[in-house]
Structures are given as C-alpha cells and as structure tokens.
C-alpha cells in the first residue's frame, strides 16, 4: 500500500472519527473501540473492546477485551496482526471471525457468541471545524490520545450465547466510543451511563484527563449529556468551566457554560482490571466498573430542568487523579 493511499485514508478518517486511523502506522500506536451491551432485563452488561497494539519495540498484535460488568471479570483475547481487517470506506472491522460496525456486532468468543444489531444510533454531531467530540483538537497532530463517540445511545436487537447459554438482548441499550493514539493519559476520570428512568433517551459521557501540551500540560474535559434530541456539550474547547472533587466512594463533577450547569455525582462500585496502552503496547492496567451509579442535575440559568440517576454506569478513575481536582 502506497504512502499516498495511507495519507488519503487517514485524511478521510479525520472527518469520520469512528473509522480506523492507523493506516501506515507500524509502531508506537494503538486504536480501540468500546461497545457496551446491556440487555433489556439488565441481567447482563458487557463491554467488548476490539483493537490493535503496535509497540515501539515492534511487538504488534490485535485483540478483543471483554469486560463482564455484572461478574466483575475481564478477559483478553489476542489475535495475529494480519487478522485485523478494517474497512476504508466506512467503519467496519473484521477480526478473527468477529465483526464490528455502527450497525451490528458479531462475536465468536468463549464468553459471547452471536449477532446483535443496533437501531436508532445517536452519533456525535459533526460541525464545521469539529468533526467529532474533540472539536478543533481533532486536527492537532501531536496529541497523546484522541477520543471519539460513535453512538451515545441506541437500541439492541438479537441474541447471544453468554457462557454457552442463550440470552436475548432485544430491547436492550448500547453505547459505542473509541480511542486512538500513542498512550492513554497518565490520569483520567471517565463516567458513562444511558440507563436513566426517563420517557426520552438520556445518555451521559464525561471525561476529564491530564493532557500533555507543548512541554507542559493542561486538565482537559469533554462532556456530552443527551436529553431527548438535545445534546448539551461542555468541553475545554467550548470555554466551559469545571469543578472536580472526590472522596473515598464518590467523584463530584460540575461543568458550566454561560447558560447551563451540569452537576454529576458518581458512586464507585466493584470492577475488573482492563489492559490499557502505553506507547502502543498493551501493558497498562485500569480498573473499570459497570456497576456504578451516576446522579445528574442539569440547570438552565439556575432553574432545574433535569434530574435523574443513571445505572449500569461505566466508571474509570485512573492514575494520580488528585492532579485533576480543579476548583474554578
């Protein structure tokens, strides 16, 4: 494959964050997608994470991680690099007899096997100069880690065998995001839930991280709060402000712009260790729970316009998070 072809494919992916970005990369690079699957009865909650790891030491492989959020156990399945087959026209990925796209997931793994389709997906809206959730930072070529939200909320239909037993996921909920780059940040807080008691779809994703920048760093954040068809965005690049605090069991986050204020209280819960990237190699560790609880209040000019509690919440609190606790 020529360098020109790789450059064109990377350029196309820049405008479609859900697509594969690593064309032509050989080392010091990772890319992974995060598929959350929760059945209607909320008996099962899984995160399925396909990806690729290309270390600076030229140790390279593809993988699928599976987090069983209810049992609090995780597994890591390694595949030869040549079985990692991403699409170059739209997001799709074939990997060792498994398939991933924005429309469906097909698995042939010891824990999960079967096919689930996604309906009513809710992609992060594209805007002029902001192809994805990172805004204009999407165009900065030296970021340590890039982030994308493929679907904030969608419906599931289909069946899986869960540890060999049939399970119907129809009527359940899903969520898809992704990361790519060299390494995860050295510290971060991440919260996600789309299981709120509401008549309309409600979904929250909030991320706060230590971001290296031109020999220094800043504390960056990206938040998407979907209520019905309205997406409230709070981010470093939008000029929003953040407050963050923690105690032994909770994380408290407040995001504010000129009109809205979002207050979040996340309650931690047991989880399992996932593998994370360091300079492309999957040698890091991060604890993730899918049993967290997130209480959310949204104010418009001091008037409470939404209050609810999200369950089956994904939560990661990693690294020296004390450096993320900002009081502004």
């Amino acid at each position: 494959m020529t360098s020109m072809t790789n450059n064109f494919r990377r350029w196309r992916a820049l405008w479609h964050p859900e697509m594969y970005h690593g064309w032509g990369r050989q080392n010091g690079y990772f890319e992974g997608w995060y598929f959350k699957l929760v059945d209607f009865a909320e008996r099962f909650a899984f995160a399925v994470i396909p990806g690729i790891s290309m270390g600076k030491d030229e140790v390279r492989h593809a993988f699928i991680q599976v987090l069983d959020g209810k049992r609090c156990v995780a597994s890591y399945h390694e595949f030869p690099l040549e079985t990692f087959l991403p699409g170059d026209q739209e997001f799709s990925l074939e990997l060792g007899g498994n398939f991933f796209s924005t429309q469906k997931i097909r698995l042939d793994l010891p824990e999960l096997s079967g096919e689930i389709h996604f309906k009513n997906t809710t992609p992060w809206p594209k805007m002029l100069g902001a192809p994805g959730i990172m805004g204009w930072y999407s165009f900065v070529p030296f970021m340590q880690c890039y982030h994308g939200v493929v679907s904030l909320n969608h419906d599931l239909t289909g069946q899986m065998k869960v540890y060999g037993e049939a399970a119907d996921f129809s009527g359940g909920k899903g969520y898809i995001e992704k990361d790519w780059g060299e390494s995860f940040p050295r510290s971060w807080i991440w919260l996600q839930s789309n299981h709120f008691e509401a008549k309309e779809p409600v979904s929250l994703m909030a991320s706060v991280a230590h971001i290296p920048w031109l020999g220094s760093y800043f504390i960056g954040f990206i938040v998407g709060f979907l209520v019905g068809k309205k997406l409230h965005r709070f981010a470093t690049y939008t000029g929003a402000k953040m407050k963050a605090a923690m105690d032994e069991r909770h994380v408290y986050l407040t995001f504010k712009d000129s009109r809205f204020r979002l207050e979040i209280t996340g309650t931690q819960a047991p989880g399992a260790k996932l593998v994370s990237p360091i300079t492309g190699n999957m040698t890091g560790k991060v604890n993730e729970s899918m049993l967290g609880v997130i209480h959310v209040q949204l104010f418009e000019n001091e008037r409470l316009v939404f209050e609810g509690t999200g369950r089956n919440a994904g939560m990661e609190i990693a690294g020296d998070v004390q450096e993320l606790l900002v009081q502004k």
Side-chain angles (χ1 to χ4, degrees):
M1 189 179 298
T2 67
S3 175
M4 184 176 295
T5 300
N6 286 330
N7 289 338
F8 177 76
R9 288 176 170 176
R10 287 198 297 267
W11 179 86
R12 175 185 286 161
L14 181 64
W15 298 96
H16 299 276
E18 70 278 6
M19 294 180 64
Y20 180 57
H21 290 249
W23 300 104
R25 298 295 298 266
Q26 297 294 320
N27 56 66
Y29 184 79
F30 81 94
E31 189 158 351
W33 294 259
Y34 179 101
F35 289 79
K36 184 179 182 180
L37 308 168
V38 181
D39 70 308
F40 177 77
E42 300 177 35
R43 180 185 173 195
F44 303 110
F46 284 93
V48 182
I49 308 168
I52 190 168
S53 167
M54 295 184 279
K56 287 189 174 181
D57 56 5
E58 297 188 358
V59 174
R60 300 183 293 170
H61 68 277
F63 62 86
I64 300 175
Q65 291 197 78
V66 178
L67 169 60
D68 184 334
K70 298 293 185 178
R71 295 190 181 189
C72 298
V73 295
S75 56
Y76 189 88
H77 305 282
E78 192 169 318
F79 298 87
L81 198 68
E82 58 268 21
T83 66
F84 182 90
L85 302 172
D88 62 355
Q89 301 295 320
E90 60 182 5
F91 167 54
S92 66
L93 173 64
E94 294 183 33
L95 178 52
N98 304 275
F99 179 81
F100 305 86
S101 74
T102 53
Q103 292 83 39
K104 69 179 182 180
I105 183 172
R106 185 177 66 248
L107 300 176
D108 184 16
L109 299 169
E111 307 91 337
L112 294 170
S113 60
E115 185 168 298
I116 294 178
H117 290 251
F118 309 140
K119 294 185 177 180
N120 304 315
T121 55
T122 310
W124 189 275
K126 291 179 170 61
M127 303 174 67
L128 183 65
I133 192 171
M134 292 191 65
W136 63 266
Y137 285 103
S138 301
F139 302 101
V140 177
F142 54 80
M143 300 293 287
Q144 180 187 44
C145 183
Y146 299 84
H147 188 68
V149 170
V150 181
S151 177
L152 283 156
N153 186 75
H154 51 265
D155 303 317
L156 307 180
T157 179
Q159 291 75 40
M160 282 274 177
K161 285 189 177 180
V162 179
Y163 304 109
E165 296 187 8
D168 189 359
F169 279 76
S170 297
K173 287 181 176 291
Y175 168 85
I176 310 171
E177 67 170 44
K178 65 170 300 192
D179 295 280
W180 68 100
E182 182 177 287
S183 302
F184 273 6
R186 77 180 194 185
S187 60
W188 74 90
I189 298 168
W190 173 82
L191 309 174
Q192 186 278 329
S193 176
N194 51 350
H195 278 84
F196 290 82
E197 291 295 339
K199 294 181 179 179
E200 53 194 354
V202 177
S203 180
L204 171 73
M205 190 290 297
S207 178
V208 180
H210 174 283
I211 310 296
W213 186 260
L214 299 175
S216 184
Y217 74 93
F218 65 93
I219 304 305
F221 59 90
I222 308 173
V223 181
F225 184 49
L226 177 72
V227 182
K229 295 183 179 181
K230 172 67 174 178
L231 177 63
H232 299 272
R233 299 179 304 133
F234 303 86
T236 309
Y237 60 82
T238 68
K241 303 298 182 183
M242 179 191 77
K243 292 182 180 179
M246 288 184 61
D247 60 28
E248 289 186 0
R249 292 193 60 225
H250 305 91
V251 56
Y252 307 96
L253 301 172
T254 299
F255 303 94
K256 185 178 181 180
D257 60 21
S258 60
R259 183 178 173 188
F260 291 97
R261 184 175 82 253
L262 183 67
E263 297 187 356
I264 301 168
T265 299
T267 303
Q268 299 183 57
K273 292 290 185 183
L274 294 178
V275 183
S276 62
I278 300 176
T279 61
N281 284 317
M282 301 299 287
T283 53
K285 297 287 185 181
V286 57
N287 188 78
E288 180 178 329
S289 173
M290 296 181 73
L291 297 173
V293 176
I294 303 174
H295 186 72
V296 179
Q297 291 179 303
L298 179 68
F299 297 85
E300 182 180 8
N301 298 325
E302 302 305 321
R303 179 176 65 92
L304 181 66
V305 294
F306 178 88
E307 182 170 12
T309 300
R311 59 196 184 276
N312 302 310
M315 295 185 66
E316 295 178 358
I317 299 173
D320 181 13
V321 293
Q322 292 299 314
E323 65 185 356
L324 305 178
L325 304 185
V326 176
Q327 300 295 322
K328 290 185 179 180

